[in-house]
Amino acid sequence: MQPYFFPYIGYFQLMHAVDIFVFFDDVQYIDRGWVNRNRIRCNDTAKWLTFPVHKARRELAINQREYMLSDGAATHRIEQRLQASYASAPCRSEVGPVISSLLRFNDSNVAMFNANLLETLAQQLGITCRFLVSSQIDKPANLKGQAKVIDLCRRIGASHYVNPVGGVELYDAASFDAAGLRLSFLRTTAKPAMLADGQQYLSIIDGLMHEGFAGCGSRLAEHVLQAAE
């Protein structure tokens, strides 16, 4: 999976469901995606929480992009936004300092910054999978998409690849079967947040602020794995 910025609980359920989780850091960075932003609760509506990224060539990979960390202004704005949005959240005193420490990580590389926050939160949630980084695995440079995923699975000795259910249209079960791999998709059954503007899956920050690490950790098993057709 691409290393996302404080993703929703389904991302962490994926970690919980597997033995090895690979951060797909050497794929193209997509503007206005989930790599540098996510949604939080603000006045009972969903609002974007965005960490700005320095402008660069469009074709660069996630691990070639940099967050705007130099003067601390972006970090301070995000902390203020979270403080205002979750001032009365029951678990703010437990969770707030952890989020602040993650936002103050001193490596501006987008992939490294996100991997650090994801691994730290996973540990706090009791997730025990092993983490690997795609760019650190020796592999052909010309492979893309599904072929790259299958090759990575082979190289780390995997027998079963699990992807979020949103990727159903991206992968062909027959190709995985030919490579000796099972293919499954994870669908969360955790309830989305109920907001004034409807049901929304929000950043893990929202769940943590309201339920704490223990509460969110208890929801990691609220998912189903469906076999590819």
Side-chain angles (χ1 to χ4, degrees):
M1 284 290 293
Q2 296 179 25
Y4 286 168
F5 183 72
F6 292 105
Y8 84 125
I9 193 170
Y11 191 106
F12 293 92
Q13 290 175 333
L14 190 64
M15 293 177 176
H16 178 68
V18 301
D19 300 300
I20 299 174
F21 190 97
V22 180
F23 292 122
F24 221 10
D25 67 325
D26 51 357
V27 294
Q28 185 180 3
Y29 172 87
I30 303 297
D31 286 320
R32 304 180 68 81
W34 299 100
V35 175
N36 75 313
R37 64 178 190 164
N38 219 289
R39 293 174 298 190
I40 61 169
R41 187 190 310 242
C42 184
N43 296 325
D44 206 31
T45 60
K47 300 292 185 182
W48 287 107
L49 186 73
T50 303
F51 208 136
V53 174
H54 285 287
K55 291 182 179 180
R57 300 193 315 275
R58 184 177 181 182
E59 68 273 14
L60 292 183
I62 296 169
N63 62 7
Q64 295 173 310
R65 301 300 297 267
E66 301 288 326
Y67 278 127
M68 294 182 181
L69 294 185
S70 57
D71 62 0
T75 302
H76 182 63
R77 283 196 300 272
I78 289 177
E79 287 181 321
Q80 286 188 314
R81 183 80 178 275
L82 291 174
Q83 184 175 2
S85 297
Y86 294 103
S88 60
C91 299
R92 178 188 161 204
S93 61
E94 173 196 5
V95 174
V98 177
I99 301 300
S100 289
S101 70
L102 295 175
L103 290 170
R104 294 178 181 278
F105 186 61
N106 61 8
D107 191 332
S108 63
N109 181 276
V110 171
M112 294 296 292
F113 187 97
N114 287 7
N116 175 70
L117 73 85
L118 291 166
E119 289 191 49
T120 300
L121 292 179
Q123 183 179 26
Q124 293 282 344
L125 291 167
I127 294 170
T128 59
C129 68
R130 178 186 174 197
F131 292 100
L132 297 177
V133 179
S134 175
S135 62
Q136 297 175 3
I137 299 172
D138 186 32
K139 59 188 180 302
N142 61 331
L143 296 179
K144 305 291 183 182
Q146 176 176 278
K148 187 172 185 176
V149 171
I150 290 174
D151 181 74
L152 275 169
C153 287
R154 284 171 167 168
R155 289 176 185 275
I156 63 176
S159 59
H160 186 183
Y161 177 64
V162 184
N163 196 79
V165 71
V168 167
E169 301 298 326
L170 300 177
Y171 299 107
D172 171 50
S175 297
F176 279 81
D177 187 60
L181 293 164
R182 288 174 59 199
L183 174 63
S184 296
F185 296 96
L186 183 144
R187 177 172 58 82
T188 184
T189 57
K191 293 181 180 179
M194 299 295 296
L195 305 176
D197 50 352
Q199 296 184 355
Q200 298 274 359
Y201 280 110
L202 302 176
S203 163
I204 190 70
I205 292 173
D206 186 77
L208 291 173
M209 288 291 190
H210 287 96
E211 298 184 87
F213 289 105
C216 283
S218 70
R219 296 189 180 280
L220 294 175
E222 295 180 4
H223 66 266
V224 294
L225 286 183
Q226 61 186 58
E229 297 180 357

